[in-house]
Amino acid sequence: MVISLKDVAERAGVSVKTVSNVVNGYRHVTPATRQRVQQVIDELGYRPNLTARHLRKGRTGIIALALPELGNPYFAELADAVISYAAGLDYIVLLDHTNGRRDQEVLFAQGFRARLIDGLILSPIELENEDLLARGHDAPLVLLGEREYEAPYDHIAIDNVTAARTATQHLLDLGRRRVAFIGARHGRARQTAHLRLRGWREVMAESAALEGDGHGLVATTDGYTREDGAQAMARLLDSGASPDAAFCYNDMVAIGAMRTLTERGLRVPEDVAVIGFDNIEDGRYCSASLTTIAPHKQGIAQAAVDALLARLDGGEEARHAEPRHVRPGFALVRRESTLGRP
Amino acid sequence: MVISLKDVAERAGVSVKTVSNVVNGYRHVTPATRQRVQQVIDELGYRPNLTARHLRKGRTGIIALALPELGNPYFAELADAVISYAAGLDYIVLLDHTNGRRDQEVLFAQGFRARLIDGLILSPIELENEDLLARGHDAPLVLLGEREYEAPYDHIAIDNVTAARTATQHLLDLGRRRVAFIGARHGRARQTAHLRLRGWREVMAESAALEGDGHGLVATTDGYTREDGAQAMARLLDSGASPDAAFCYNDMVAIGAMRTLTERGLRVPEDVAVIGFDNIEDGRYCSASLTTIAPHKQGIAQAAVDALLARLDGGEEARHAEPRHVRPGFALVRRESTLGRP
DNA sequence: ATGAAAGCGCTAACAC
DNA sequence: GTGTTAGCGCTTTCAT
């Protein structure tokens, strides 16, 4: 049988209000009453019905985190950070995945799970600006990741162009000249890959390492899996390119690319230096541990949750405050894959 | 402004019941009424308040999945499978992590988030039998993973001993004799590591490959990270052992162990063949791609969700039916790390 | 086929 | 300090 506040009240001979006060730690309750009520609560094994509380309060204390996929360790690690940080602030995180599909992302942006969640942190891949503008309600939304939108929402993302410049420069500093970029994407000008490609292109052009627009050194992929990286590197090599370094869209792509290099008898870093992006755990345990750009995941998680909760807990003004754009930091983590030539 | 059923009803000139009927796809509504109501719904952008619905129905359609950690790709991939499968059955999954700590696991088992979730799938690490017996309520619970309990709950786990035997036998079939086991744990007789260790020990003893109890070939770890695997292998080698193969508790440990082998100048598989457990994605992209035991993750996810929903949706009888013990299958996936000697 | 009204369990005004 | 009571928004008998 399910025990409600009322049952406890009757058994303890007090009103539901008093029981509620005890449950919620309200200060003005006489110790005697509190103790008696608490005893009945323990006896009966009463547990508050969160759903009822949520309905009454108009809030659930649940925020959703919609990520493309959990299979990518970067997102899994990020999810971990968000869940932990939010838990410390007494918020529950509902984790969802969109598979990076526009229809799913739109669903979330449109308020899927309305009033089950108080707000949403969304990491979009295919979502368009118009989808955001067409949002029919005002539940707080925080955008995560590198796509840029012209819509009034908080946005948390590291500076991808600068990060990509840092990565490329690092390769150049090693004395490498033919630095390939693995993981370009077709379409959508604002996509992350373009930002990273831009950083690469800028540095390459400035250092005069680039001839023409560098087409011969850029490999596109369909996605960002290890397999995509392996295939892209294979295509690049088959096309006759002979890079002495590679800046990869992310660590997964880099791991795949390194795999191909090894299979072709090319050594990392002696023949080809490789740098990734994301700093996923696996990278540290590759045959040549992977140098990478490490976005500050804790910082990203905290900024996202803080931005959301500021609107949630900040009253009416905060709810309609100017959108924040937060740029958490990043670091270059040097490992074996970019050691200098012996 | 927030739109409720009542608002729609007033605007459409019907009762809330009728609107509710339309929203829920109740059959007996005249097409004309349905259309008019639907139009108002679209106009006003009405979305049902799930919390209210949940309170009224006494069910939320949310099930919790409590895993030790998301940082381990095995759990991330499993979570992915559970979320997807449950979504197809119109259930929402609330993902939580326990960090493998007993107090957290107890919290979940005790009914943390009572009546926010309809049921729980828990993958325990440190939870004890008594914790389960002390459960003060009857919300459906499904246990996941290899620890065995004597408590009346559904349990989904592959046959670890047989799987471990398969892995060990594979190594022996390669002609290896000094097969190490990396990742034993102290304490708790029922823990997974013991089951896998038992499988190893049985096969080794049967083949007479084992001298004594094999202490010299068993390395314990504190956890199951890559770092644990790297250190354990280092200790083993430092102790003077010279294994020609290693069966590792899981892929993470195996990856760490391979890293140490490489650093010590030992080749995989030529000098030491390595096999892991879990079939995580990374394993395919190691310097020597990793041979592993692949638990049928889809099968595990489905069995767990099915078991839970059977009790949730099956009425009173189902709720108190005998506990199910499901043993999803597994497969040996051969890759480079156990290729035969050239 | 549609409406009226009760009530899920809780919190928060407002009394006393 | 504690009790009374009115809903939060929805579904669901029970009428009509």
Side-chain angles (χ1 to χ4, degrees):
Chain A
M1 179 209 158
V2 176
I3 311 296
S4 77
L5 259 196
K6 208 170 132 208
D7 300 319
V8 177
E10 281 171 8
R11 176 79 159 255
V14 297
S15 76
V16 292
K17 176 60 165 54
T18 303
V19 181
S20 176
N21 283 342
V22 171
V23 171
N24 292 290
Y26 182 63
R27 312 186 69 84
H28 305 291
V29 183
T30 51
T33 314
R34 179 183 300 279
Q35 197 192 333
R36 184 154 38 93
V37 171
Q38 188 58 54
Q39 192 181 331
V40 175
I41 287 176
D42 295 340
E43 245 175 69
L44 264 37
Y46 167 74
R47 329 212 82 221
N49 181 324
L50 298 181
T51 300
R53 183 180 286 172
H54 294 164
L55 175 59
R56 179 60 235 230
K57 291 198 161 189
R59 310 231 335 229
T60 61
I62 302 176
I63 60 181
L65 173 64
L67 261 19
E69 41 159 8
L70 251 27
N72 182 336
Y74 173 72
F75 289 119
E77 291 170 16
L78 187 62
D80 219 316
V82 170
I83 293 175
S84 299
Y85 184 65
L89 268 21
D90 286 328
Y91 270 85
I92 296 173
V93 174
L94 192 56
L95 193 55
D96 270 299
H97 50 231
T98 61
N99 297 312
R101 281 170 40 193
R102 183 174 172 188
D103 59 342
Q104 299 236 45
E105 293 173 351
V106 168
L107 206 59
F108 281 102
Q110 293 298 352
F112 182 49
R113 291 179 184 167
R115 267 151 278 173
L116 200 198
I117 59 173
D118 293 340
L120 170 66
I121 300 173
L122 173 66
S123 176
I125 300 279
E126 297 282 351
L127 193 76
E128 294 296 333
N129 211 64
E130 60 198 81
D131 299 329
L132 236 28
L133 264 15
R135 245 180 135 232
H137 63 122
D138 66 343
L141 168 67
V142 171
L143 265 10
L144 211 62
E146 296 74 10
R147 283 207 66 182
E148 289 169 7
Y149 296 94
E150 281 157 24
Y153 296 104
D154 295 329
H155 189 185
I156 319 292
I158 69 167
D159 182 344
N160 270 267
V161 176
T162 303
R165 290 184 60 106
T166 304
T168 309
Q169 191 62 54
H170 172 58
L171 263 11
L172 256 20
D173 289 346
L174 258 34
R176 311 292 169 130
R177 310 309 291 167
R178 299 185 305 286
V179 180
F181 181 87
I182 312 288
R185 296 294 285 268
H186 294 299
R188 314 202 193 304
R190 286 177 178 130
Q191 286 210 104
T192 314
H194 279 257
L195 299 177
R196 297 189 189 165
L197 182 56
R198 192 201 304 167
W200 170 84
R201 199 187 300 277
E202 285 177 9
V203 171
M204 291 293 280
E206 285 163 22
S207 74
L210 196 64
E211 294 163 13
D213 62 354
H215 260 326
L217 286 171
V218 175
T220 54
T221 56
D222 289 331
Y224 297 126
T225 65
R226 300 175 183 85
E227 188 57 32
D228 290 316
Q231 290 176 3
M233 178 57 86
R235 251 181 291 115
L236 195 74
L237 295 177
D238 289 342
S239 77
S242 60
D244 58 7
F247 167 36
C248 300
Y249 174 81
N250 69 9
D251 287 351
M252 306 271 279
V253 168
I255 289 170
M258 287 201 293
R259 172 88 196 160
T260 295
L261 289 170
T262 305
E263 282 173 0
R264 301 289 181 103
L266 292 164
R267 293 163 305 163
V268 177
E270 292 82 352
D271 301 317
V272 183
V274 175
I275 184 169
F277 204 113
D278 278 355
N279 192 30
I280 63 178
E281 268 289 303
D282 326 349
R284 302 175 53 178
Y285 291 85
C286 295
S287 46
S289 61
L290 183 64
T291 294
T292 190
I293 295 290
H296 185 13
K297 291 191 195 88
Q298 300 289 337
I300 295 173
Q302 293 187 14
V305 173
D306 285 341
L308 196 59
L309 299 199
R311 292 186 189 270
L312 250 28
D313 299 330
E316 210 46 34
E317 343 73 73
R319 229 181 150 90
H320 299 108
E322 279 296 293
R324 305 189 199 180
H325 287 248
V326 184
R327 289 215 175 284
F330 64 87
L332 172 68
V333 178
R334 300 176 186 215
R335 299 208 187 93
E336 293 166 0
S337 70
T338 61
L339 280 183
R341 280 198 171 85
Chain B
M1 180 208 156
V2 176
I3 311 295
S4 76
L5 258 196
K6 206 171 134 205
D7 301 317
V8 176
E10 279 171 11
R11 176 81 158 256
V14 297
S15 77
V16 292
K17 174 58 164 52
T18 302
V19 181
S20 175
N21 283 342
V22 172
V23 171
N24 293 291
Y26 182 64
R27 312 185 69 85
H28 304 289
V29 183
T30 50
T33 314
R34 179 183 301 280
Q35 197 192 332
R36 183 153 39 91
V37 171
Q38 188 58 54
Q39 192 180 331
V40 175
I41 287 177
D42 295 341
E43 246 174 68
L44 263 37
Y46 167 74
R47 329 213 81 222
N49 182 324
L50 297 182
T51 300
R53 183 179 286 175
H54 294 164
L55 176 58
R56 178 60 235 226
K57 291 200 162 189
R59 309 235 332 231
T60 61
I62 302 176
I63 60 181
L65 173 63
L67 261 18
E69 40 158 7
L70 253 25
N72 182 336
Y74 174 72
F75 289 119
E77 291 170 16
L78 186 62
D80 218 315
V82 170
I83 293 176
S84 298
Y85 184 65
L89 268 22
D90 286 327
Y91 270 84
I92 296 173
V93 174
L94 191 57
L95 194 55
D96 270 298
H97 48 231
T98 61
N99 297 311
R101 281 172 38 193
R102 183 175 172 187
D103 58 343
Q104 298 235 46
E105 294 173 350
V106 167
L107 206 60
F108 281 102
Q110 293 299 352
F112 183 49
R113 289 176 186 171
R115 266 147 278 174
L116 200 198
I117 60 175
D118 293 340
L120 169 67
I121 300 173
L122 173 65
S123 175
I125 300 279
E126 296 282 351
L127 193 75
E128 293 297 332
N129 212 63
E130 60 198 81
D131 299 329
L132 236 28
L133 264 14
R135 251 181 128 227
H137 63 123
D138 66 343
L141 167 68
V142 171
L143 265 9
L144 211 62
E146 295 74 11
R147 281 207 67 182
E148 289 168 9
Y149 296 93
E150 280 157 24
Y153 296 103
D154 295 329
H155 188 187
I156 319 291
I158 68 167
D159 182 343
N160 271 266
V161 176
T162 303
R165 290 184 60 106
T166 304
T168 309
Q169 190 61 55
H170 172 57
L171 262 10
L172 254 20
D173 290 346
L174 258 35
R176 312 290 170 131
R177 309 309 290 167
R178 299 184 304 286
V179 180
F181 181 87
I182 313 287
R185 297 293 285 269
H186 292 300
R188 312 202 194 305
R190 286 178 179 130
Q191 286 211 103
T192 314
H194 278 257
L195 298 177
R196 297 188 188 164
L197 182 57
R198 192 201 305 166
W200 169 85
R201 199 187 299 276
E202 286 177 7
V203 171
M204 291 291 281
E206 286 163 22
S207 74
L210 196 63
E211 294 163 12
D213 61 355
H215 261 325
L217 286 170
V218 175
T220 54
T221 56
D222 289 332
Y224 298 126
T225 65
R226 300 175 183 85
E227 187 56 32
D228 290 317
Q231 289 176 4
M233 178 57 87
R235 250 180 293 117
L236 194 74
L237 296 177
D238 289 342
S239 78
S242 59
D244 57 7
F247 167 37
C248 299
Y249 175 81
N250 69 10
D251 288 351
M252 306 271 279
V253 168
I255 290 170
M258 287 201 293
R259 172 87 196 159
T260 296
L261 289 170
T262 305
E263 281 172 1
R264 299 290 181 101
L266 293 164
R267 294 162 305 164
V268 176
E270 292 84 350
D271 300 317
V272 183
V274 176
I275 183 168
F277 204 113
D278 279 355
N279 192 29
I280 64 178
E281 269 289 303
D282 327 347
R284 302 175 51 179
Y285 292 85
C286 294
S287 46
S289 61
L290 182 64
T291 294
T292 190
I293 294 291
H296 185 15
K297 291 192 196 86
Q298 300 289 338
I300 295 172
Q302 293 186 14
V305 173
D306 285 342
L308 196 59
L309 299 199
R311 289 182 191 273
L312 250 27
D313 299 330
E316 209 47 35
E317 342 73 75
R319 229 179 151 92
H320 299 109
E322 279 296 292
R324 305 189 198 182
H325 287 249
V326 184
R327 289 217 175 283
F330 63 88
L332 171 69
V333 178
R334 299 177 187 215
R335 299 210 187 89
E336 293 165 0
S337 69
T338 61
L339 281 183
R341 283 198 170 85

